[in-house]
Amino acid sequence: MAQSHAKSNAKKELIEHMEVSKGTGILMTIALTFLSLVFIFPILLVLLNSFKNKLYISDAPFALPNGETFSGLFNYTNGIGKTGLIAAAGRSLFITVFSVIAIVLLTSMAAWWIARVKSKFSDLLYYMFVFAMIVPFQMVMFTLSKVTDMLNLGNMFGIIFVYVGFGAGLSVFMFTGFVKSIPISLEEAAMIDGCSPIQIFFRIIVPVLRPTMITVAILNAMWVWNDYLLPTLVLDSDAPTIPMAVQYLRGGYGSIDMGAMMAMLVLAIVPIIVFYLSCQKYIIKGVAAGAVKG
Amino acid sequence: MQKAYKKYFWLFVLPTLAAFTLFFIIPFIMGIVLSFCKFTTVTNATWVGIRNYQRAFSNRDFIDSLLFTAKFTIVSVITVNVFAFILAYALTRGIKGTNLFRTVFFMPNLIGGIVLGYIWQLLINGVLARFGVTITTDAKYGFWGLVILMNWQLIGYMMIIYIAGIQNIPTELVEAAKIDGATRLQTLFKVTIPMVMPSVTICLFLTLTNSFKLFDQNLALTAGGPGKQTAMMALDIYTTFYNRNGWEGVGQAKAVMFFILVGILALSQLYFTRSKEVEN
C-alpha cells in the first residue's frame, strides 16, 4: 500500500515536470476536444440514421430526420423481427460469459501446473501454447468446423469448448508469465501445513492471480463477444450471435435494408458502451497490462 | 513438491489440453495434410502433392490479395502508431480532461469488426455520394476506407500502451535531461522515444498482425469489391474455400502459406525491434 502510494506520488511529480504551459495546455485541450468529436461522430451518425426511413439513409446520411423522413422506432421493431437480435444477444451473452469463465479457470490451472512442474513435457506444452498464438484462424477454420460437426458440438454449449481450445494459447502464456513471478516459498509452507495441491491453487494462487485473471477475462470477453467467423462456421445459421445476425442483414447482393441495419448497429453497440463505461478502469488497465505481457 | 504436483496433471492440465488438442492441434495438422489433397469434406480427401500450391498461383487472386494486404499493412502500421504516439504524448502532459479523452479514444476498439465495417460504410458512402460514387466504385476508396477504419479502431488501443510506456520512464531521467539543458524536443527524441521502445515493439507487433490478418472489417466494409480488388488475404482464402466448388484444397494451401507468412513477419519484427530496446 505504502509502496503504491509512493509510486503515485512519483508519477505526479513526473507529470508536473512534463507539464506544458497554460496557453499550450488550453490549445491542446481544444484540439483534443475537436478530435474526440471526430471519434464519436460515426457512432452518432448511425444513431441519427436509425430513426430515419430506410430510403433516406444511403443518399443523405448527414441530413437530420424531419417530418417526412422520421420513422420513429420502426427500424428497431422491424430489424429485431428480421434478425431475431434479442435472441442473438442472449446467445452472445451466454457464450461470452461461460467461455470466459471456462478459459480463465481452466487455463490458469494449466498455466500454474506448467510453470511449477519442470520437465521436458511441460516445456513442450508451453511452447505449443505460445506457437498457437501466431497461427491465423484461416489456417484451421475448415478443419475446425469439420471437427465440431463430427463431434456434434455445433451449438451454444459446444462452442464454449472450442473457445477454450482456441483461446488457450494467449491465456496460458499470460498466466504462466505471472505465476513464474510468484515466490514458491508460500506454496512450500502450505504443503508442509498439509494443504493438497488443489487447496494450494484455490486458496493461495487464485487470490494472487486475481489481477491477471481480470486482464485475461477482459481480453477474451472482447474477442468472444465480437467474434464473427468462428461462430459462423461452427454454429447453426438459424441460431446466430450478434455479429452473425448483423452480417445476415446484408443478405443477397446489394439488398441491405439500411433502416434495419442502422437500428441493429445501435443495438449491437449500446451494450458494449454500457459495459465499457461501467468498468473502464479495469478494461484500460487490463489492456495495458495484457500488452506488456504479450 | 514437484512430485506432488505432477500427480494432478489430469485435473489441472488435461481439460485445457484436451480442448486445445481437439480444436487446435488436430485441425492444424489436418490442415497441413489437406493442403496436399483434393477434397470437399475431410473424409473424401485424395493426395495430389503440391498441385494445390501450384493452382493457388494459377490466377492473380492470391498474389493480388497479398500485394493489397502488404500495402494496407504498411500504411496502417505507420499511421496508427504515429497518431497513437502523438496522442499518448499529448495525454501525458497533465492537461485538463486527460481521462475523458483517453476514454473516448479507446472506445472504438471494443466494437467488433463487422459492426465497425458497416458504421464506416455508411459514413464513407455518405461522403462519396456527393461525387456520385460508392466505396466499391474504385479500389482506392476501399483501400483508404480500410485504413481510416483501422486507425479509428486501433489508435486508442496503441495509445493506452504508449501512455503506460511513457509513464514508466523514471522521473530522474527526464529531470536529468532538463538540468543538462535539453530542449523539449531533444528530451522527446533522446530520452522518451528510446525509453518507450518496449511499447513500440508491442504496438508494432499488434498493429502488424492485426492489419495483416484483417477479415471482419474487410468483409463488412467492401466485401472485396469492386471485383476482388480490395480482398485481403484472409478474405481471399475464405472465398476460395466457400464460394468455389473444387477449390477447397487450394484454399487450404493458401491458408498454409498465409500462416507461414504471418509467422515469419511476426518473428522477424519481434527480433528486429527487441534489438533496439534499451537495457534497463
Side-chain angles (χ1 to χ4, degrees), chain A residues 7-27:
Chain A
K7 214 173 169 186
S8 77
N9 269 345
K11 227 166 238 175
K12 247 178 227 153
E13 253 170 52
L14 172 69
I15 286 167
E16 269 163 29
H17 211 84
M18 302 202 307
E19 250 174 32
V20 289
S21 69
K22 215 172 177 189
T24 325
I26 292 170
L27 275 179

Side-chain angles (χ1 to χ4, degrees), chain A residues 10-11 13-15 17-20 25 28-29 32-33 35-36 38-43 45-46 49 57-59 61-62 106-107 109-110 112-113 116-119 121 125 128-129 131-136 138-148 150-151 153 161-162 164-166 168-169 172 184 187-188 191 196-198 200-201 219 222 226 228-229 233 243 246-247 250 256 258 261-262 265 268-269 272-273 276-277 280 283-284 287-288 291-292, chain B residues 1-2 4-9 11-13 15-17 19-20 22-28 30-32 34 39-42 87 90-96 101-115 118-123 125-127 129-130 151-152 155 157 160-161 164 166-171 174-175 178 184 202 205-206 213 215-216 219-223 234 237-238 241-242 248 252 255-256 258-259 262-263 266-267:
Chain A
K11 227 166 238 175
E13 253 170 52
L14 172 69
I15 286 167
H17 211 84
M18 302 202 307
E19 250 174 32
V20 289
M28 279 170 76
T29 305
L32 288 168
T33 306
L35 199 61
S36 301
V38 173
F39 258 74
I40 300 176
F41 179 71
I43 295 172
L45 189 70
V46 171
N49 280 283
I57 294 173
S58 293
D59 296 335
F62 305 115
L106 296 178
T107 61
M109 290 166 74
W112 178 63
W113 193 91
R116 286 297 186 240
V117 173
K118 293 195 174 49
S119 67
F121 179 61
L125 284 178
M128 281 198 315
F129 285 121
F131 171 74
M133 286 197 298
I134 58 160
V135 176
Q138 273 70 24
M139 175 65 207
V140 296
M141 66 176 179
F142 179 81
T143 43
L144 174 68
S145 66
K146 293 300 161 205
V147 169
T148 54
M150 266 187 257
L151 299 173
L153 289 174
F161 296 104
V162 179
V164 171
F166 218 76
V172 168
I184 202 163
E187 294 165 46
E188 282 163 351
M191 188 153 273
S196 72
I198 299 171
I200 290 177
F201 180 77
L219 291 177
M222 280 162 57
N226 289 322
Y228 165 73
L229 193 50
L233 296 175
V246 170
Q247 178 64 14
R250 187 184 202 120
I256 308 181
M258 285 303 276
M261 178 60 98
M262 292 305 118
L265 292 180
I269 297 169
I272 297 172
I273 293 185
Y276 175 50
L277 294 181
Q280 50 145 326
I283 294 175
I284 289 185
V287 165
V292 172
Chain B
M1 193 90 176
Q2 291 250 354
Y5 284 176
K6 251 184 185 168
K7 273 186 275 178
Y8 283 83
F9 170 78
L11 178 68
F12 282 98
V13 185
T16 305
L17 186 61
F20 183 68
L22 271 180
F23 304 119
F24 179 78
I25 297 178
I26 291 176
F28 182 81
M30 271 165 67
I32 289 179
L34 284 182
F39 63 94
T40 49
T41 65
V42 180
L87 282 184
L91 292 184
T92 44
R93 300 304 100 184
I95 56 168
K96 276 208 178 71
F101 293 135
R102 203 179 55 174
T103 305
V104 171
F105 295 143
F106 182 73
M107 187 180 56
N109 188 253
L110 295 168
I111 302 172
I114 293 287
V115 175
Y118 287 114
I119 293 175
W120 279 94
Q121 197 186 53
L122 172 80
L123 180 56
N125 273 338
V127 174
R130 305 193 168 199
N151 272 273
W152 192 64
I155 281 177
Y157 190 168
I160 296 290
I161 300 172
I166 292 174
Q167 286 178 340
N168 273 338
I169 301 174
T171 328
V174 182
E175 260 167 36
K178 204 173 178 182
R184 201 175 278 283
I202 297 156
F205 179 78
L206 289 173
K213 297 195 285 190
F215 177 81
D216 296 1
L219 179 70
L221 189 68
T222 67
I237 293 167
Y238 179 83
F241 253 116
Y242 294 102
E248 290 85 356
Q252 189 61 56
V256 171
F258 183 51
F259 151 65
V262 171
L267 292 180

